[in-house]
Amino acid sequence: MLNLGKLHFGGDYNPEQWPREVWKQDIELMQRAGVNLVSLGIFSWAKIERKDGEYHFDWLDEAIELLHQGGIAIDMATATASPPAWLTKAHPDVLPINFDGVRLSHGGRQQYSPASKVYQQKAAALVEQIAKRYGNNPAIEMWHVNNEYGCHSPYCYSEQSRQAFIEWLQKKYASIEELNAAWGTDFWSQRYYDWDELVVPKRTPDGTHPNPGQQMDFKRYSSDAHLELFKMERDIIRKYDQKRPITTNFMSMKFTYAMDYFKWAKEMDFVSTDHYLAQHDPLNHIDLAQQADLTRGFADGKQWLLMEHSTSAVNWQPRNYAKTPGQEFRNSASFVARGSQGSMYFQWRQSQAGSERFHSALVPHAGSDTRVFREVSELGAWLKSNPDVANYPTDQANVAIVYDYEQFWALMQANLPTQDINYAETVAKWYRAMWENGTRVDFVPADASLETLSKYELVLMPLVHMLSEQEERVFHDYVAQGGNLVVSYFTNTADRTLRVKLGGYGGKLVKELAGVYVEEFYPLREGQGALSNGYKIELWSELTRNLSADVIAKFVESDVDGSPALTVKSHGSSKVWYQGTELKLGSQRKFFKSITKELGIESEGGESTEVVRRGPYKFEIDHEKNKVKLRNN
Ligand code: GAL
């Protein structure tokens, strides 16, 4: 994974929306603001290829030249994110089909099925043209493939998708028998005798849902299908440019789940991501920190790049609150502290037309004599004056949270013990408890190697519902080698096919490592919610037997009063804590505080201040006082 060398500042640049006079002004303003990189051409397909095979690069050549003359580097896009109208008119099967069997229309963006052969061919032809033309162009610093894969139409249920899904399944399972076993198809007469009987998991009769294993595999297939598109474009670019790094912008956001970014990151030269705040939430800086830390996890601890965020309001929330003075500086500082090689935005100049005309930009409708432009220029100058920061990755934390998109997918399914399980919220709450305690955490995937886990004193496992035997073994080895774990309820309940592990929920991880035998789940009823030590709980209780753990607290306001709720078991110098419930935030903070204290894990900052280091650089960001300090120790 590359570290990109310098701190970047700029954003998506869409000159095709403006007349030539504005372009010149853009370059001057970019220079004034300190912009050193723009992402060019992301949505330019229709402007480049005006008819099938008829390419117009004159305008793009001119824009590239202007930027280059102005000393502004280019993150060159492949323009494949929004197929033109002539294409979908001539080949309607480029358009995706949704869960209800409805073909989605042209007119928005990302209106393509990843399984569409025509889309694949036309996108490949376009990338070939762009890469051939600009592969040696000195103005280009990096490549930006497509845009936010899976953002608007991650799943397509067309016949072409069914065929592609079957091919994917044939690679995964040696025989139809193996697939039947994995999906448990003797349930409800779902057995398949021939590959061609298989379907994509579309809507089924009311009150029923497609087979759980089938749903999981379809989500895996869909993430892989988009990843194949990325790889196709990447490989075409590589033919013409062997030097410059290639990325695509992820969406590390709380409720974004469709693409398995840990898997994707392995295919990229460096990780980049987009992040937008829930601006109504006064604590959104904690979500920002979480998503930045998660992105660093995808990047395996290395530097990454924040490719998009907003200078002020977005246009797609119910109420689009503007950022408060100083907020954007603080936000960017936090991203940089957590490993971003700069601060990039959507977009350079606020659109005059189109559905994003009320989305903020570096240059607002009101022009450059504005709060937003002044503040971003201040940030540009700050980044420029601290170039050495780029040379250091964010310091590794002592605590890691296990994060896994497949858990997200599994826990979104219906027919669980309670519909209130919410993977994203639980992970966010655990993160927030640590953040407010001033304890930094990293994120690791559920299939992390022993070597990765061993870097951490403490590993947290919130709702790691599925684990393969091999993955389970790694956690055992981690504890055997001196690691400490916190395991939540509903963890390791199933294997990766969603088949339940029998004989006490949680398999060996809970029975042997945590020393607890879980018999039955009892979602909490209204009004229930306390433990014997005074901790407040929500959502979940369970009937457990203590096999060999020390009981920290029992359920007292539940259907299972007296049952162990919080336990700890020692294995030599290692400890495994088990939470058979969902602690409320304040209680989770206390619980984590007691653990980190016991393990001697240091904390710094907390409450409303974050303290993060990149080598000799110490970032101190006070979100209440709206202050950013950067020191070089
Ligand atoms: C992103 C997208 C941008 C822009 C932005 C608005 O998801 O990549 O093109 O639409 O959202 O917030």
Side-chain angles (χ1 to χ4, degrees), residues 539-553:
L539 212 131
W540 191 271
S541 65
E542 51 190 28
L543 181 65
T544 56
R545 292 204 298 270
N546 182 12
L547 294 175
S548 54
D550 294 333
V551 176
I552 300 169

Side-chain angles (χ1 to χ4, degrees), residues 355-366:
S355 66
E356 294 185 320
R357 65 202 181 285
F358 294 115
H359 191 292
S360 62
L362 285 92
V363 184
H365 287 153

Side-chain angles (χ1 to χ4, degrees), residues 12 43 109 147-148 249 274 276 308 316 346 356 359:
D12 287 17
F43 295 104
R109 66 175 172 186
N147 191 64
E148 294 185 336
N249 46 341
D274 302 346
Y276 289 92
E308 285 181 26
W316 43 262
F346 176 82
E356 294 185 320
H359 191 292

Side-chain angles (χ1 to χ4, degrees), residues 388-453:
D388 186 43
V389 167
N391 295 320
Y392 301 89
T394 300
D395 290 9
Q396 197 211 290
N398 288 317
V399 181
I401 296 187
V402 174
Y403 192 86
D404 179 7
Y405 286 94
E406 291 202 357
Q407 314 300 333
F408 213 137
W409 304 341
L411 298 173
M412 283 168 68
Q413 291 195 12
N415 306 116
L416 299 178
T418 163
Q419 62 175 18
D420 298 330
I421 290 185
N422 186 322
Y423 181 66
E425 290 293 3
T426 295
V427 173
K429 202 204 294 169
W430 284 40
Y431 182 89
R432 180 171 162 195
M434 283 292 184
W435 192 99
E436 289 183 343
N437 283 348
T439 313
R440 290 209 32 244
V441 302
D442 290 345
F443 284 90
V444 293
D447 63 355
S449 65
L450 180 59
E451 194 192 337
T452 301
L453 293 184

